[in-house]
Amino acid sequence: MITIEQVLAASYTSVEKPPPMGKANTALLLIDIQALATPEHLAEKARLAGLEAASVDQALADYSRRFYAAVGNCVRLLRAARDSQVACVHVKIEALSGNARDTGPAHRRLGWCYPPGSPETQFLDQVAPADGEIVITKTVSGAFTATNLDSVLRHMGIQWLVIAGFETDECIEATGRTALDLGYVALFAEDACTAYKASSHEHFMSKYADWGLTRSTEDLTALLSELE
């Protein structure tokens, strides 16, 4: 029996090959690997809202496992990119103004208003930017929306993006879809990002796997190490 995936694969006909991937035209894009994405932050917010602590921890157990596994793989990707002299770009959610007035309306409705220096905006130590690495701040889901990320990457001659971080079905998807529409070749690190719900992560990765745009951390670190 033929599946819908086979039908879709048969319908894709390449008319143009992407540019060769090299050190100079590739960047690692790490999305929102910061305190506000951690299960600990979610647990604190839930407890403050009156939910029972033990039940909260139980509800977050699977996300916590997947989150820290993904963080570990982000560390591996970051190390491989640095070793190969591939540009590393770190993106985080953080307002520009002290009162967070510039936060996008969608984030404001969720209560995601974080002035500069807020604890929630801090990068996790293990993936903190090194001196000279670019940091982009955003107040919406997509890293290209209302930031100068596109200009920065084009000035650097970047054509390929390796994308990892959080959350898969939110900021990763918003950033990745825009990157593709802008003409970048995006590769999603399937095990170096996750979503609050496992099913949401799996749905996204399944969709982009059909396009040939997902890779494992192991495959990506090998690919980065071989770039010329």
Side-chain angles (χ1 to χ4, degrees):
M1 180 176 180
I2 295 176
T3 65
I4 183 63
E5 289 81 10
Q6 290 172 305
V7 172
L8 291 173
S11 73
Y12 299 145
T13 303
S14 176
V15 296
E16 181 178 301
K17 290 185 177 181
M21 186 180 189
K23 292 181 180 182
N25 71 345
T26 301
L28 173 63
L29 194 58
L30 296 173
I31 307 292
D32 301 349
I33 312 176
Q34 58 189 113
L36 62 81
T38 64
E40 289 79 13
H41 173 70
L42 293 175
E44 180 182 7
K45 297 280 283 188
R47 287 192 292 267
L48 290 174
L51 298 184
E52 195 268 326
S55 297
V56 167
D57 291 341
Q58 183 177 8
L60 288 172
D62 180 62
Y63 175 64
S64 182
R65 177 189 59 78
R66 290 183 287 106
F67 177 85
Y68 283 108
V71 169
N73 285 328
C74 288
V75 172
R76 293 173 60 195
L77 288 172
L78 185 56
R79 186 182 302 119
R82 287 170 174 167
D83 288 347
S84 296
Q85 298 180 316
V86 165
C88 301
V89 180
H90 305 256
V91 179
K92 67 175 177 176
I93 296 172
E94 183 178 69
L96 299 174
S97 59
N99 61 6
R101 182 181 178 183
D102 57 298
T103 297
H107 277 203
R108 287 204 302 271
R109 295 184 192 111
L110 294 171
W112 285 29
C113 299
Y114 304 109
S118 300
E120 297 89 347
T121 69
Q122 302 306 302
F123 288 112
L124 301 192
D125 288 343
Q126 54 267 57
V127 291
D131 289 343
E133 292 179 348
I134 293 169
V135 175
I136 300 289
T137 63
K138 63 184 177 71
T139 57
V140 294
S141 294
F144 288 96
T145 308
T147 75
N148 65 340
L149 177 59
D150 184 43
S151 295
V152 168
L153 295 176
R154 293 191 189 280
H155 292 169
M156 296 168 64
I158 300 300
Q159 296 171 296
W160 286 79
L161 295 174
V162 174
I163 301 178
F166 307 102
E167 302 288 323
T168 308
D169 58 336
E170 296 177 11
C171 300
I172 294 290
E173 181 162 24
T175 299
R177 172 68 75 173
T178 303
L180 293 168
D181 287 346
L182 289 171
Y184 297 95
V185 185
L187 296 177
F188 299 96
E190 60 190 9
D191 53 356
C193 52
T194 198
Y196 298 129
K197 295 188 290 186
S199 59
S200 297
H201 172 79
E202 291 162 3
H203 173 74
F204 173 90
M205 288 301 166
S206 174
K207 178 169 62 178
Y208 286 92
D210 290 342
W211 293 11
L213 297 178
T214 63
R215 300 286 191 280
S216 68
T217 296
E218 183 175 359
D219 288 344
L220 285 168
T221 53
L223 181 62
L224 290 170
S225 69
E226 294 169 358
L227 293 181
E228 298 180 355

